[in-house]
Amino acid sequence: MIQDIAVIGAGTLGHGIAETFARYGYPVNLYDSDEIRLTSALDEIRDELELLAEENVIGYEEITPAIDRIHLFTDLKQTVQDRDYVIEAIPDILELKQQLFQQLDHDCLPHTIFASNTSSLKLAELMQLVSDERKERMIINHWFNPGHLMPIVELSYFGNMPEPIYSEVEELYKSIDKQTVKVRRDVPGLIANRIQQAIAREVFSIIELGIASPEDVDKALKFGPAFRYATTGQLEIADLGGLDLWCTVGDRLLKDMDHSRSSNKLLRKKVDEGKLGVKSGEGFYKYDNEDIAAAKRRLAQKLIQQLKTSNHYI
């Protein structure tokens, strides 16, 4: 039974993963080589828990115990040596992850399960430097940002892990109220990112063609398809609307839609110009520092409301 958790990397997703497990009662060791990053992560966790309390998702009395369950480390071996489940959330660079898993294989207990938070790297490549015994205890668990609010975790089931061990991991995520998606083939992007990229490809194309403003494109998505997607899946929507209708509309529209196999030229131009979104102050919209903080808070509040609503439809 999985009890003790370690998270490697205290960045955007890593701190949210640690926060989630701690909130549900699990003792968590959080590692980062940067001590300043660790301290900052703990501040972010406190702020996020306080917002959850403001929105009546948790009680204020739950904040301190959750934070007390998170222990900070800059020594990797001390972080993982007694853990049952170790999740890496370091940059998506294959060589870095391979070296990390090789070190973890040496430092961890034989029963420890390793998980990689990636959707772009192949599990077979991530496992190359670990023992054959450990390969049976490795899995991809792909979280979505922000990890403490997004309910999905995609789990790999590619044939390396015996079903009883997979079931143990699945039960772990159910215990923290995550919706698990079993991915049966090792494909780039897994499932959710492939769907998201298909939508993004057409959205960027619509902007490039001058069909509508960024504001109106986002409005069309938020109050059209995405409004349904918050509670209803695409296949359910297709069944409810009629597969014959979806087939007819697909025949008419798909030949006129973007079918490019690389990033949109307008998107690439913005990147080349250094217009990266909130991290640079301008993307499709412009932001100042106050706008960025306010926008992140508004997004978190909206996700919290959606999370409360979607729980009624699960």
Side-chain angles (χ1 to χ4, degrees):
M1 185 175 179
I2 300 171
Q3 293 288 345
D4 299 310
I5 311 294
V7 179
I8 311 303
T12 302
L13 266 172
H15 88 267
I17 293 171
E19 173 185 343
T20 304
F21 280 110
R23 191 184 131 209
Y24 281 84
Y26 290 91
V28 182
N29 290 351
L30 178 60
Y31 167 88
D32 203 288
S33 58
D34 184 344
E35 195 164 352
I36 295 174
R37 176 62 243 170
L38 278 173
T39 303
S40 175
L42 209 58
D43 291 338
E44 290 179 59
I45 289 170
R46 182 177 294 277
D47 288 344
E48 289 164 357
L49 290 172
E50 286 178 351
L51 180 57
L52 288 173
E54 287 177 28
E55 297 291 333
N56 298 313
V57 175
I58 64 173
Y60 282 97
E61 73 281 359
E62 297 178 56
I63 296 175
T64 298
I67 291 174
D68 287 345
R69 294 185 192 105
I70 300 173
H71 307 282
L72 306 182
F73 291 85
T74 54
D75 183 289
L76 182 61
K77 185 173 183 178
Q78 289 181 4
T79 307
V80 303
Q81 61 188 354
D82 63 347
R83 301 288 97 177
D84 302 315
Y85 190 69
V86 178
I87 306 169
E88 66 81 10
I90 67 173
D92 239 17
I93 300 170
L94 178 60
E95 292 77 13
L96 285 179
K97 292 182 186 284
Q98 286 177 330
Q99 292 166 12
L100 173 63
F101 283 127
Q102 184 180 38
Q103 185 62 47
L104 292 175
D105 195 22
H106 180 268
D107 292 341
C108 290
L109 296 166
H111 75 266
T112 305
I113 298 169
F114 297 168
S116 176
N117 183 63
T118 183
S119 68
S120 63
L121 297 174
K122 289 186 173 293
L123 181 60
E125 295 175 343
L126 295 171
M127 297 192 300
Q128 280 185 1
L129 302 182
V130 305
S131 65
D132 289 341
E133 292 78 13
R134 189 73 69 179
K135 288 175 182 177
E136 293 189 349
R137 308 186 77 82
M138 283 189 66
I139 192 169
I140 287 174
N141 69 165
H142 179 230
W143 293 56
F144 263 60
N145 185 42
H148 69 295
L149 296 179
M150 295 294 286
I152 185 178
V153 177
E154 295 176 306
L155 299 177
S156 66
Y157 190 62
F158 299 156
N160 64 297
M161 178 176 280
E163 184 152 1
I165 301 176
Y166 176 87
S167 297
E168 189 177 357
V169 175
E170 192 175 46
E171 287 302 314
L172 172 69
Y173 283 107
K174 288 179 181 177
S175 76
I176 59 171
D177 288 339
K178 292 298 182 183
Q179 295 296 310
T180 59
V181 175
K182 182 186 280 190
V183 184
R184 298 175 183 272
R185 288 183 56 193
D186 196 352
V187 295
L190 304 180
I191 297 172
N193 269 340
R194 290 170 75 100
I195 296 169
Q196 184 172 244
Q197 279 295 320
I199 295 171
R201 178 171 62 183
E202 188 59 28
V203 163
F204 296 142
S205 177
I206 289 170
I207 295 296
E208 183 185 31
L209 294 172
I211 296 171
S213 68
E215 292 84 357
D216 280 331
V217 172
D218 277 349
K219 187 187 296 183
L221 181 59
K222 286 190 293 186
F223 298 104
F227 195 82
R228 294 188 297 202
Y229 289 155
T231 57
T232 312
Q234 177 58 60
L235 301 179
E236 292 177 278
I237 291 168
D239 274 351
L240 289 167
L243 299 185
D244 52 340
L245 176 61
W246 276 89
C247 189
T248 299
V249 173
D251 286 340
R252 290 173 182 166
L253 288 188
L254 290 174
K255 58 190 174 186
D256 194 52
M257 293 172 65
D258 193 333
H259 53 81
S260 58
R261 299 178 65 85
S262 60
S263 294
N264 183 276
K265 292 178 181 178
L266 174 61
L267 181 63
R268 194 176 302 281
K269 182 173 182 291
K270 285 190 175 292
V271 171
D272 291 342
E273 293 173 346
K275 298 177 180 178
L276 307 179
V278 294
K279 65 174 68 175
S280 67
E282 182 177 354
F284 288 101
Y285 303 101
K286 291 185 178 181
Y287 309 87
D288 59 31
N289 288 335
E290 290 184 6
D291 288 337
I292 293 170
K296 288 182 177 179
R297 184 178 177 85
R298 284 196 302 272
L299 174 60
Q301 289 173 318
K302 289 177 182 177
L303 289 175
I304 289 169
Q305 294 306 313
Q306 285 177 221
L307 189 60
K308 290 178 179 178
T309 302
S310 64
N311 283 339
H312 295 296
Y313 293 89
I314 293 169

